[in-house]
Amino acid sequence: MTADHGGGGAANSTEAELSDSLKTFGAVLKALREEVGLTQEEFALRVRYSAAYVAKIEQGKRFPPTDLPARAEEALGPVGAKVLTAAARSLTRRAGLASWFQQWAGIEEEAISLYAYECRAVPGLLQPEAYARAVFTRQLPPFTDEQIDRKVAARLERQTLLTERPNTAFTFIIEQAVLERRVGGAAVTRTVIDHLLNVGRRTNVEIQIMPLRQEDHCGVDGQLYMAETPGHQWFGYTEGHRSSSLIADPSEVSVLHQRYGKLRSQALDCRATVNLLKRMRGAL
């Protein structure tokens, strides 16, 4: 779920920075689409992606899926597909997180199920503006005010997934310690808790808190994200300090599934989570 996830690490810090090669690929795709007389909506239907996702690829904001040229052949013709394939090969993948993040962001936008476990910060999809700003303000090396404004805007824009995809099941597990840390102060933490309580009322969103004391905790290897595509393929995503991994190997994704299932059983259920959040808010 930058995805724009939690703490605004290296992957999140590059989410609003568009590489020239991504912009070039987007321009090529747009030109080919317009050449055959298709609107974004019509092209999106042909390649079985959402119109919003196609728009972001054309704008250079999302890394294109590896199978896009193949999917586009029927719509663009064999020559157009070859041109698109060549453009895809020329993409400059940023070192480390950025290329992985761009790919994950696209997977997340199309997901029919999204699982998230966070032990570092509130997941990016659940961050109110005050918290997101507090997170980016504390990054090192420091960002300029303009960079912070751009990153906060990008993070908030991505949160529209929760409302624009009502048929996608979003499940979040958040460590209680993340809220106890009070990033940004008590007032910001109250805003975060209010936001979690509000978002948690949505029928497609489930939020669970992992209590401070849980002797059987199996999340010691750190945060993890998982997404199921419309074709029912599962991907995993993990982040570290200035590093990240997009996980597609079914055997590795299976391990993440096992761990996430155990984490869900160890965390508080949704009703107990609401009660805990209300007690924490009252204590602020």
Side-chain angles (χ1 to χ4, degrees):
M1 340 237 169
T2 180
D4 182 4
H5 300 144
N12 297 322
S13 71
T14 57
E15 66 200 34
E17 298 170 8
L18 311 181
S19 72
D20 289 339
S21 56
L22 283 174
K23 291 187 208 175
T24 299
F25 180 89
V28 169
L29 175 59
K30 180 179 180 180
L32 291 171
R33 173 180 60 75
E34 292 179 342
E35 179 66 21
V36 296
L38 293 176
T39 65
Q40 283 184 344
E41 291 75 13
E42 291 168 339
F43 179 76
L45 286 173
R46 302 279 188 92
V47 296
R48 302 184 304 282
Y49 286 117
S50 70
Y53 187 24
V54 170
K56 288 179 181 179
I57 294 173
E58 290 189 357
Q59 293 162 10
K61 293 181 178 180
R62 290 291 179 267
F63 210 95
T66 55
D67 64 347
L68 180 59
R71 290 196 186 195
E73 183 170 2
E74 182 180 346
L76 303 179
V79 175
K82 286 182 180 179
V83 172
L84 201 62
T85 299
R89 289 198 195 102
S90 68
L91 282 173
T92 301
R93 294 175 178 267
R94 295 174 185 265
L97 290 166
S99 62
W100 289 118
F101 179 78
Q102 293 286 357
Q103 289 178 294
W104 171 259
I107 292 169
E108 184 185 62
E109 287 187 12
E110 295 294 301
I112 60 174
S113 299
L114 180 71
Y115 297 169
Y117 163 65
E118 267 294 357
C119 55
R120 312 164 307 165
V122 175
L125 287 174
L126 297 178
Q127 292 181 5
E129 181 176 354
Y131 183 90
R133 190 168 297 278
V135 167
F136 285 125
T137 300
R138 287 159 177 76
Q139 286 294 300
L140 293 174
F143 296 131
T144 65
D145 290 344
E146 181 181 355
Q147 287 174 318
I148 291 172
D149 288 343
R150 189 170 68 245
K151 294 175 190 301
V152 169
R155 180 153 294 182
L156 296 178
E157 188 273 335
R158 298 198 66 248
Q159 294 176 7
T160 59
L161 287 177
L162 298 174
T163 54
E164 290 179 352
R165 300 191 64 82
N167 298 121
T168 294
F170 295 90
T171 302
F172 301 92
I173 302 172
I174 308 169
E175 289 286 342
Q176 182 180 345
V178 167
L179 300 175
E180 297 284 3
R181 190 171 296 129
R182 300 188 183 183
V183 171
V188 171
T189 303
R190 277 194 293 271
T191 300
V192 170
I193 293 175
D194 287 343
H195 188 64
L196 293 178
L197 290 169
N198 183 52
V199 174
R201 295 188 183 99
R202 296 190 59 83
T203 56
N204 64 326
V205 177
E206 185 175 279
I207 299 174
Q208 294 178 259
I209 297 295
M210 180 68 75
L212 286 174
R213 293 177 179 82
Q214 175 50 274
E215 294 181 2
D216 295 325
H217 195 310
C218 71
V220 293
D221 283 348
Q223 54 83 254
L224 69 90
Y225 287 76
M226 300 177 64
E228 180 186 11
T229 70
H232 305 296
Q233 182 179 3
W234 282 89
F235 289 90
Y237 182 85
T238 61
E239 285 183 2
H241 281 269
R242 306 190 69 79
S243 64
S244 69
S245 296
L246 179 66
I247 303 167
D249 184 334
S251 63
E252 294 298 321
V253 175
S254 176
V255 171
L256 297 185
H257 260 296
Q258 293 177 49
R259 292 180 180 177
Y260 196 83
K262 192 67 173 180
L263 286 167
R264 291 185 76 173
S265 71
Q266 294 167 340
L268 300 176
D269 64 28
C270 294
R271 181 173 298 179
T273 289
V274 168
N275 292 335
L276 174 61
L277 290 173
K278 288 180 177 179
R279 291 198 301 272
M280 291 179 68
R281 194 193 189 290
L284 291 171

